[in-house]
Amino acid sequence: MKKRILSLLMALVMVLSVMTVAAMAKGVQTFADVKESDWFYDAVCYVTDNGLMNGTGSGFAPQQTTSRAMLWAVLSRVDGQNAKRNANDWYAAAQLWAIQHDISDGTAPEAPITREQLAAMLYRYAQRKGLVRAAAYADLSGFADAASVSAYADEAMQWAVSRGLISGDPASDGTLWLRPRDGATRAQIAKILWVWLGA
């Protein structure tokens, strides 16, 4: 009898182990455009396993530019909101959430999000949650285009750089550029979320 119970327990442990491994990998297994060798692989695993980002219908689309609405949806999920989607206006609930919580003004939902807009929204959310320390700001003077950061995003960009969420883009001569007006890809958003929340 004891041997049967022990055998059953061992079988149960093996099944649970297999299920755990499958659960850990579930986010990426279905994406043909995400490989283990990709720099964003772990980040995509994290955001998909935690329900923060989903596929696009044609894979994860790591190089697709992220829209403002996509970031509202992601941040509302980080906040534990299960924003209901509908076919005609998939981002409406997340847009309302972003406006109500002073994360965004809710305008231009389909527009590509810029790096400084991304920093600003992340910063507002972090402030709301009490996650910003007084000393958590970086000096941006080492970046060649620091002066091109919009005034509204300057403090947010300092915070994002200090946290390692946004880093410089090195030129061939070693100059670092923030590129605040450039867009952010889905892979970059996944990596930022992983660094910020999971790594």
Side-chain angles (χ1 to χ4, degrees):
M1 184 68 173
K2 288 183 179 178
K3 286 185 178 179
R4 281 188 66 188
I5 293 173
L6 186 58
S7 296
L8 286 171
L9 285 173
M10 289 179 65
L12 181 60
V13 168
M14 289 177 64
V15 169
L16 288 174
S17 297
V18 170
M19 288 172 63
T20 301
V21 170
M24 288 173 65
K26 70 176 182 182
V28 175
Q29 280 184 336
T30 56
F31 299 133
D33 53 359
V34 179
K35 300 177 179 61
E36 279 192 69
S37 57
D38 291 328
W39 61 265
F40 48 80
Y41 177 83
D42 288 333
V44 172
C45 286
Y46 175 79
V47 297
T48 54
D49 288 349
N50 286 281
L52 302 179
M53 296 178 74
N54 306 307
T56 63
S58 58
F60 186 78
Q63 303 311 321
Q64 179 181 320
T65 300
T66 308
S67 70
R68 288 167 55 83
M70 286 179 191
L71 189 65
W72 301 336
V74 167
L75 286 178
S76 70
R77 292 174 195 145
V78 170
D79 199 44
Q81 306 299 314
N82 188 12
K84 293 182 179 177
R85 296 173 55 168
N86 63 64
N88 297 326
D89 201 357
W90 64 267
Y91 55 79
Q95 181 181 39
L96 181 61
W97 172 87
I99 294 168
Q100 289 176 335
H101 293 91
D102 297 320
I103 305 301
S104 170
D105 61 5
T107 60
E110 301 291 354
I113 194 162
T114 65
R115 286 161 61 90
E116 66 179 8
Q117 289 172 357
L118 167 64
M121 289 188 208
L122 291 175
Y123 183 58
R124 290 173 196 145
Y125 179 80
Q127 284 182 309
R128 179 175 167 266
K129 289 296 187 178
L131 302 174
V132 178
R133 298 190 313 273
Y137 298 96
D139 179 6
L140 302 184
S141 62
F143 297 95
D145 55 351
S148 66
V149 176
S150 300
Y152 79 88
D154 189 59
E155 191 173 291
M157 192 67 87
Q158 291 176 42
W159 170 80
V161 170
S162 77
R163 294 295 309 270
L165 307 181
I166 292 179
S167 57
D169 182 15
S172 57
D173 62 358
T175 306
L176 286 176
W177 299 83
L178 275 175
R179 306 197 189 284
R181 310 294 171 85
D182 285 7
T185 66
R186 285 170 54 83
Q188 290 169 336
I189 296 292
K191 182 66 179 287
I192 287 169
L193 292 170
W194 182 52
V195 170
W196 184 32
L197 303 171

